[in-house]
Amino acid sequence: MEKMLKDLFANQQYDENNFFLIAGPCVVESEELLMEVADKVSGICKNLGIPYVFKSSYRKANRTSASSFTGLGDETALQLLKKTGDTYKLPVTSDVHAHDETAMAAKYIDILQIPAFLCRQTDLLVAAAETGKIVNVKKGQFVSGPSMKFAAEKIRNAGNNKVILTERGNSFGYQDLVVDYRNIPWMKEHGAPVVMDCTHSLQQPNQTSGVTGGNPQLIGTISKAAIASGADGLFIETHPNPAVAKSDGANMLKLDLLEGLLQQLVKLRKAVI
């Protein structure tokens, strides 16, 4: 596990006792947006000694409404992700949704992210594993931390030991999620770094408007509790102006609020390790 992360962040200088950060806008909207966010966040992380992975989805396959924005086109968006990573010397991650996408995506990104709804899809997990890339599996809203050992086993049995597991809350009724922080130590027992998704765990899905809601004012609460519970990394989607974002604007952190939050989290990390 330690070697995987050291190799991932080999181009960065950081405090080895820090958590790592996966952050960026929800979806690739434009080159300008990716570069703006990567420039801002990489600078903050460098100053705070936080190892950083840039994240943005090249395609949003899971949308409530058929009219929702899904992307600029797979190859176009993946090329922009790679360009962003190359420009700022950052590892890059994005979601993959089907087994036949994995080889294409692996040409451009460093971590293949498995969406929560697909965490039990064996063919997808195996195909992602066979690329040799790091595979980050988000825990389904319907899955317990202990049962995520089966997702990790599928990847490892395919010959790939580079696994990350991400907690993102559990369904609570039809339009809410709650976080059971027991899942963080439980998933760490599977021998993989554990990340807390601090934005998607605050979603309010299944809105009658066809647009997912959220509670971004609680991102600080979720992230602080995750660090106190032993999370190895944090996942935070961020945007300069969430109100005009083309996906998940209701639960993204405004970019200019990120630095202050990370400063608090670095202090908290030092207090609990």
Side-chain angles (χ1 to χ4, degrees), residues 146-271:
S147 67
M148 284 297 289
K149 70 178 181 180
F150 300 110
E153 285 176 356
K154 289 175 183 180
I155 295 164
R156 289 168 176 150
N157 289 342
N160 187 340
N161 291 318
K162 294 182 286 187
V163 182
I164 295 173
L165 299 175
T166 294
E167 163 65 21
R168 54 98 75 226
N170 284 83
S171 296
F172 185 74
Y174 291 111
Q175 295 180 329
D176 230 334
L177 295 165
V178 294
V179 178
D180 181 351
Y181 286 95
R182 297 177 299 175
N183 285 319
I184 292 176
W186 279 339
M187 288 199 291
K188 291 183 75 165
E189 293 177 1
H190 306 325
V194 173
V195 173
M196 181 71 231
D197 184 338
C198 304
T199 43
H200 290 96
S201 59
L202 291 166
Q203 281 183 330
Q204 293 181 309
N206 301 316
Q207 300 294 315
T208 55
S209 65
V211 178
T212 297
N215 288 293
Q217 72 275 12
L218 294 175
I219 291 171
T221 301
I222 295 290
S223 57
K224 290 170 188 174
I227 293 297
S229 302
D232 301 292
L234 299 176
F235 178 109
I236 299 176
E237 288 189 337
T238 184
H239 192 286
N241 185 0
V244 300
K246 294 184 178 181
S247 176
D248 276 3
N251 54 270
M252 275 195 282
L253 183 69
K254 198 168 189 300
L255 184 58
D256 63 10
L257 299 176
L258 181 64
E259 184 171 15
L261 175 58
L262 291 177
Q263 288 171 342
Q264 294 177 39
L265 295 172
V266 167
K267 292 177 182 177
L268 180 58
R269 173 76 171 192
K270 289 178 179 177

Side-chain angles (χ1 to χ4, degrees), residues 70-139:
T70 58
L72 301 173
D74 291 355
E75 292 281 354
T76 297
L78 284 164
Q79 288 169 4
L80 290 176
L81 283 169
K82 187 175 188 307
K83 183 177 181 180
T84 303
D86 290 346
T87 300
Y88 291 96
K89 297 181 173 56
L90 299 170
V92 174
T93 186
S94 193
D95 326 63
V96 290
H97 315 91
H99 69 278
D100 54 0
E101 288 181 36
T102 57
M104 171 191 68
K107 297 176 184 177
Y108 300 95
I109 62 179
D110 304 284
I111 302 174
L112 302 183
Q113 179 176 288
I114 309 299
F117 283 124
L118 302 176
C119 70
R120 294 178 55 178
Q121 294 297 110
T122 301
D123 60 346
L124 174 57
L125 292 170
V126 171
E130 289 175 345
T131 67
K133 298 286 186 173
I134 297 172
V135 183
N136 177 19
V137 189
K138 287 194 170 185
K139 183 182 73 60

Side-chain angles (χ1 to χ4, degrees), residues 8-131:
L8 181 66
F9 299 118
N11 293 326
Q12 300 182 41
Q13 292 183 336
Y14 59 92
D15 181 349
E16 292 188 1
N17 292 318
N18 238 332
F19 59 90
F20 63 92
L21 178 68
I22 301 173
C26 179
V27 66
V28 176
E29 299 178 19
S30 67
E31 179 176 344
E32 293 74 18
L33 174 66
L34 298 191
M35 293 295 178
E36 178 182 358
V37 175
D39 182 68
K40 177 75 171 179
V41 181
S42 62
I44 293 169
C45 288
K46 183 177 180 180
N47 290 338
L48 294 175
I50 299 171
Y52 174 42
V53 178
F54 183 82
K55 183 272 166 185
S56 193
S57 297
Y58 65 87
R59 173 155 51 91
K60 300 302 294 184
N62 176 25
R63 300 287 82 194
T64 301
S65 169
S67 63
S68 296
F69 177 77
T70 58
L72 301 173
D74 291 355
E75 292 281 354
T76 297
L78 284 164
Q79 288 169 4
L80 290 176
L81 283 169
K82 187 175 188 307
K83 183 177 181 180
T84 303
D86 290 346
T87 300
Y88 291 96
K89 297 181 173 56
L90 299 170
V92 174
T93 186
S94 193
D95 326 63
V96 290
H97 315 91
H99 69 278
D100 54 0
E101 288 181 36
T102 57
M104 171 191 68
K107 297 176 184 177
Y108 300 95
I109 62 179
D110 304 284
I111 302 174
L112 302 183
Q113 179 176 288
I114 309 299
F117 283 124
L118 302 176
C119 70
R120 294 178 55 178
Q121 294 297 110
T122 301
D123 60 346
L124 174 57
L125 292 170
V126 171
E130 289 175 345
T131 67

